[in-house]
Amino acid sequence: MKLLLTTSRKTSQRVRQFIKEFSSIFPKSFIQRSNRGKRSLNELFEDSYERYDRILLVTNSHGNPNKIIGFYKKDDTFLWCFEFKIQSVKLSYELEVAKGTNPDKIHFYFENFDLDLENRLQIFFAPFDQTTRTDD
């Protein structure tokens, strides 16, 4: 399974930094980061169909990461799977993470998930083989 982590159009540097840090929680062999540029969602889906099974789209509001939207490939298209709002994002440089810190050691905390969203996330991420993850 391959996952594309991308941004909304006209994204800020802060959102690009967020997806860089957020991508560190996934096995490197499964994830690719990309700035969306001016492509529409349909163009993004068409360009991604042959290479990716899942897409995570990070949107922004007032220059800050705002939502994460998940899409999965089924038959000949990508379908919406989940969407959740994110807030109070702190990037590593804002937390004064020491230079040279392994990005795999950065943590993300998610609160107030309801059962429906938790089930959707489990379905979305189920194909990942966790045995390939290295935490050294």
Side-chain angles (χ1 to χ4, degrees):
M1 182 176 105
K2 292 291 271 185
L3 171 69
L4 174 65
L5 179 58
T6 190
T7 63
S8 58
R9 294 183 189 185
K10 299 180 182 177
T11 192
S12 67
Q13 178 61 38
R14 183 172 169 75
V15 173
R16 288 191 296 272
Q17 182 65 31
F18 172 78
I19 70 165
K20 181 178 179 183
E21 293 182 20
F22 188 59
S23 70
S24 71
I25 67 173
F26 300 100
K28 288 178 178 52
S29 61
F30 290 116
I31 189 140
Q32 173 69 42
R33 290 190 322 263
S34 172
N35 292 324
R36 184 166 142 203
K38 294 183 179 183
R39 292 182 289 176
S40 70
L41 271 181
N42 286 337
E43 290 171 327
L44 177 70
F45 292 158
E46 288 172 12
D47 294 346
S48 303
Y49 188 77
E50 295 297 322
R51 295 179 290 177
Y52 304 104
D53 300 305
R54 305 284 193 269
I55 296 175
L56 284 177
L57 173 68
V58 178
T59 67
N60 68 70
S61 176
H62 305 288
N64 292 306
N66 182 24
K67 290 182 186 174
I68 298 177
I69 305 169
F71 300 92
Y72 67 97
K73 183 166 58 174
K74 183 172 183 183
D75 300 326
D76 61 347
T77 190
F78 281 95
L79 301 175
W80 177 89
C81 184
F82 65 86
E83 177 177 325
F84 60 90
K85 186 173 177 74
I86 54 178
Q87 57 190 22
S88 303
V89 171
K90 298 285 185 201
L91 300 173
S92 60
Y93 70 87
E94 296 168 328
L95 297 174
E96 299 180 18
V97 174
K99 279 190 174 184
T101 299
N102 183 345
D104 291 335
K105 303 299 183 200
I106 295 173
H107 298 279
F108 293 87
Y109 298 95
F110 299 98
E111 297 177 357
N112 301 323
F113 272 15
D114 62 24
L115 188 58
D116 182 53
L117 178 56
E118 183 177 339
N119 289 337
R120 287 179 179 271
L121 289 173
Q122 287 175 350
I123 291 167
F124 185 83
F125 290 111
F128 280 109
D129 178 9
Q130 293 299 317
T131 60
T132 62
R133 178 74 182 184
T134 57
D135 290 325
D136 22 318

